[in-house]
Amino acid sequence: MKNSNNTPKHPFASLEDKALVAAFDSLYDQYSGALFKAILDKVSDQQIAEDVLQETALKVWKSMGQYDAEKGRLYTWLHRIAVNTALDSIRQKNKKKNRKNKKENEPLSIENVLVMPEIKDEMGIRKMVSSLDEKHRAPIELFYFQGYTQEAIAKKLNIPLGTIKSRLRSALKKLSKVLTR
């Protein structure tokens, strides 16, 4: 990006590597305190604020060439990067917390157990399934243990699809009762 007299629009474009590092160090020394305060106002946690300031510094370093003095003051540009990074950190933290809460609050149903291979054998699910009568056991084994679709089970067993769905539902209810004893 160059303006009409063919000079760089941003003040960092013409700097050599050592000068660029020195300019960045100077920016950090001059603005890190104010940016830290702005970040801390958003995240309300000293350690997280320090991490966000570090991430902000990295983003500033990578995008120094994008700063355009004609579009605004340097502090405004730095502040916007810091606040956006803080907000991203909050969103990421909330997303992780929501995923964790969702997993913790999810009831352990027979359907959940059957699709989680690491739990199937620990809980003796195969033994429970083997205790079902043949008309319920076969669809469960094909669907959950062998990965057949309901349509494929209907074809394999030569039974109408509606009957397969009913037997699967009925078998799951029976297994659920055994699981909750």
Side-chain angles (χ1 to χ4, degrees), residues 50-65:
E50 289 172 4
D51 292 344
V52 170
L53 180 62
Q54 186 71 28
E55 192 174 334
T56 299
L58 184 61
K59 286 181 179 181
V60 168
W61 174 258
K62 288 180 177 180
S63 62
M64 282 175 70

Side-chain angles (χ1 to χ4, degrees), residues 149 152 163 167:
T149 64
T163 303
R167 288 181 182 176

Side-chain angles (χ1 to χ4, degrees), residues 160-171:
L161 179 60
T163 303
I164 293 298
K165 290 181 178 187
S166 296
R167 288 181 182 176
L168 282 169
R169 189 170 37 257
S170 176

Side-chain angles (χ1 to χ4, degrees), residues 83-161:
V83 168
N84 287 345
T85 304
L87 294 174
D88 288 346
S89 173
I90 292 168
R91 284 186 206 108
Q92 189 175 30
K93 182 180 175 185
N94 288 340
K95 189 184 279 186
K96 285 180 184 176
K97 188 185 295 185
N98 288 341
R99 269 193 242 127
K100 183 179 177 187
N101 287 342
K102 186 177 178 182
K103 284 183 181 178
E104 287 175 358
N105 294 332
E106 191 174 285
L108 187 61
S109 68
I110 191 66
E111 292 91 346
N112 292 342
V113 170
L114 287 171
V115 296
M116 295 167 33
E118 66 277 2
I119 294 181
K120 283 181 192 175
D121 291 328
E122 287 179 23
M123 297 184 68
I125 297 298
R126 284 200 182 269
K127 187 175 181 180
M128 284 186 237
V129 169
S130 68
S131 70
L132 294 172
D133 57 86
E134 178 61 28
K135 72 178 189 176
H136 291 101
R137 183 178 62 245
I140 288 287
E141 286 180 349
L142 291 170
F143 190 73
Y144 287 103
F145 295 110
Q146 296 180 25
Y148 280 72
T149 64
Q150 292 176 345
E151 294 81 7
I153 295 169
K155 284 181 182 177
K156 182 174 178 75
L157 299 178
N158 200 23
I159 298 173
L161 179 60

Side-chain angles (χ1 to χ4, degrees), residues 64-76:
M64 282 175 70
Q66 295 176 4
Y67 171 67
D68 186 350
E70 293 176 3
K71 291 183 179 178
R73 295 180 332 144
L74 179 60
Y75 177 74
T76 305

Side-chain angles (χ1 to χ4, degrees), residues 20-35:
L20 189 60
V21 171
F24 179 78
D25 287 344
S26 176
L27 280 177
Y28 189 85
D29 291 343
Q30 187 174 358
Y31 294 109
S32 63
L35 295 176

